[in-house]
Amino acid sequence: MVDTTISLPVTATTTAPAANEDKWSSQMYSKHASFVPALGAPVVQLLAPQTHERILDLGAGDGILTLDLEKQCQSVVAIDASADMIEAARRNGCRDAQVVDGHDLVDHVELANGQFDAVFSSAALHWMKKDPVRVIQGVHKCLKPGGRFVAECGGYMNVAEVRTGLHWALKKRGYNPEEYDPWFFPGVQTYRKMLEEQGFRVESIELIPRLTKLNTDVAGWIDTFGFSFLKPFEGDKEERKKVIDEVQANLPFSEDDGVWHIMYQRLRFKAIKA
Ligand code: BEZ
């Protein structure tokens, strides 16, 4: 039986992870999250890449979707903040894969030069929480006039059951979960406004609920994606595992006949550089 009681908040002092700390593991990703690129077809369809086009894949991860784009257009530059993911992208065969954080695009001499027909992003923008406006500004600088920004990311209420579970688990142990929460899940109006204020015309933007079947279970998902929340327990493997198991145990309705699901909310949009 998992203890779910809330103890009196004591202020814990472990620091939140540095934004540039690379906690990504391409191995964990392919074991627990291969469904992520596999579910990217609708946003690739919305992008509708053309054979003559030059495309920037922002937050390309291990490059599985990049390879798909490479077959459909002239060239793709894949960028990701994680060196481990970019190494995996190169191993997987991506022709041009570079370690670049989306926040740094705006100052990037080679990429932010108005040469791209489109910037594409799948399941990545929600990790760029530090300054989402700066990320949009960078995308804008990369695009030709009339170029398009087509993306899908977590939106308002994304993975809310697991996120809430992680918040409770940290609160109960005296930590402020806000400090460890790495995700930015905007609603339609919030993100539309951000795009418009940075010079985009929004052609479409919607929030799409997607019940998502996991490769393994919620514990495997947290182990892969929840590293920021687990930072306070890095030196204590037992407590780290206890937190993961506790969050999963508190989600009995996420499992049906041995198959685990999480309720995703996809924010999908197409915006044009005005
Ligand atoms: C997402 O794709 O929505 C997502 C993936 C991992 C962690 C959080 C959100």
Side-chain angles (χ1 to χ4, degrees):
M1 177 78 181
V2 171
D3 174 17
T4 55
T5 51
I6 301 289
S7 52
L8 282 176
V10 274
T11 312
T13 51
T14 310
T15 46
N20 58 0
E21 209 176 337
D22 189 355
K23 290 282 173 194
W24 285 93
S25 157
S26 53
Q27 255 181 327
M28 294 277 284
Y29 188 80
S30 65
K31 178 176 172 199
H32 296 289
S34 61
F35 63 86
V36 176
L39 294 174
V43 67
V44 174
Q45 221 169 355
L46 184 63
L47 174 69
Q50 307 295 304
T51 49
H52 64 277
E53 286 187 324
R54 213 175 154 221
I55 291 174
L56 178 70
D57 186 351
L58 169 58
D62 60 5
I64 299 301
L65 275 180
T66 313
L67 293 171
D68 190 21
L69 298 182
E70 277 184 5
K71 288 185 208 134
Q72 301 180 58
C73 62
Q74 193 194 85
S75 65
V76 186
V77 178
I79 62 168
D80 201 284
S82 160
D84 192 58
M85 287 304 217
I86 285 297
E87 255 175 54
R90 290 181 186 143
R91 274 199 308 275
N92 287 333
C94 290
R95 285 186 216 132
D96 187 347
Q98 307 178 23
V99 181
V100 179
D101 185 327
H103 291 96
D104 300 333
L105 256 188
V106 72
D107 295 322
H108 199 288
V109 180
E110 280 156 33
L111 300 176
N113 57 8
Q115 301 282 309
F116 288 94
D117 296 286
V119 174
F120 170 83
S121 185
S122 177
L125 290 171
H126 49 259
W127 292 99
M128 302 174 209
K129 184 188 189 180
K130 193 175 61 183
D131 191 348
V133 168
R134 188 174 162 84
V135 175
I136 296 171
Q137 287 166 344
V139 170
H140 197 269
K141 275 184 85 175
C142 292
L143 286 170
K144 293 176 179 172
R148 60 204 191 280
F149 181 20
V150 177
E152 184 176 297
C153 62
Y156 176 64
M157 291 293 281
N158 192 42
V159 302
E161 71 279 51
V162 184
R163 194 185 198 188
T164 304
L166 286 162
H167 273 240
W168 274 90
L170 260 69
K171 228 184 246 183
K172 175 181 159 179
R173 290 166 174 83
Y175 296 96
N176 175 5
E178 292 298 338
E179 279 178 32
Y180 296 90
D181 188 329
W183 301 323
F184 170 61
F185 296 141
V188 164
Q189 297 314 329
T190 302
Y191 208 72
R192 173 190 283 278
K193 192 161 170 265
M194 288 169 95
L195 287 165
E196 287 174 348
E197 283 176 356
Q198 300 313 315
F200 283 98
R201 175 175 57 77
V202 178
E203 206 172 280
S204 66
I205 184 162
E206 55 184 330
L207 205 53
I208 303 147
R210 188 190 74 200
L211 186 62
T212 302
K213 185 175 159 186
L214 305 183
N215 289 8
T216 54
D217 55 11
V218 166
W221 190 96
I222 295 172
D223 210 6
T224 309
F225 293 120
F227 44 81
S228 178
F229 287 102
L230 298 170
K231 174 85 179 166
F233 318 108
E234 249 172 24
D236 185 348
K237 273 193 180 161
E238 228 172 85
E239 186 65 2
R240 185 182 186 278
K241 185 173 179 326
K242 220 168 138 184
V243 170
I244 293 176
D245 290 347
E246 179 182 307
V247 177
Q248 170 157 304
N250 283 330
L251 292 171
F253 310 117
S254 299
E255 184 259 346
D256 178 49
D257 201 20
V259 181
W260 289 84
H261 291 81
I262 296 179
M263 194 65 203
Y264 278 55
Q265 290 277 5
R266 312 321 288 156
L267 184 72
R268 190 182 301 156
F269 65 87
K270 177 176 180 182
I272 310 295
K273 178 170 174 172

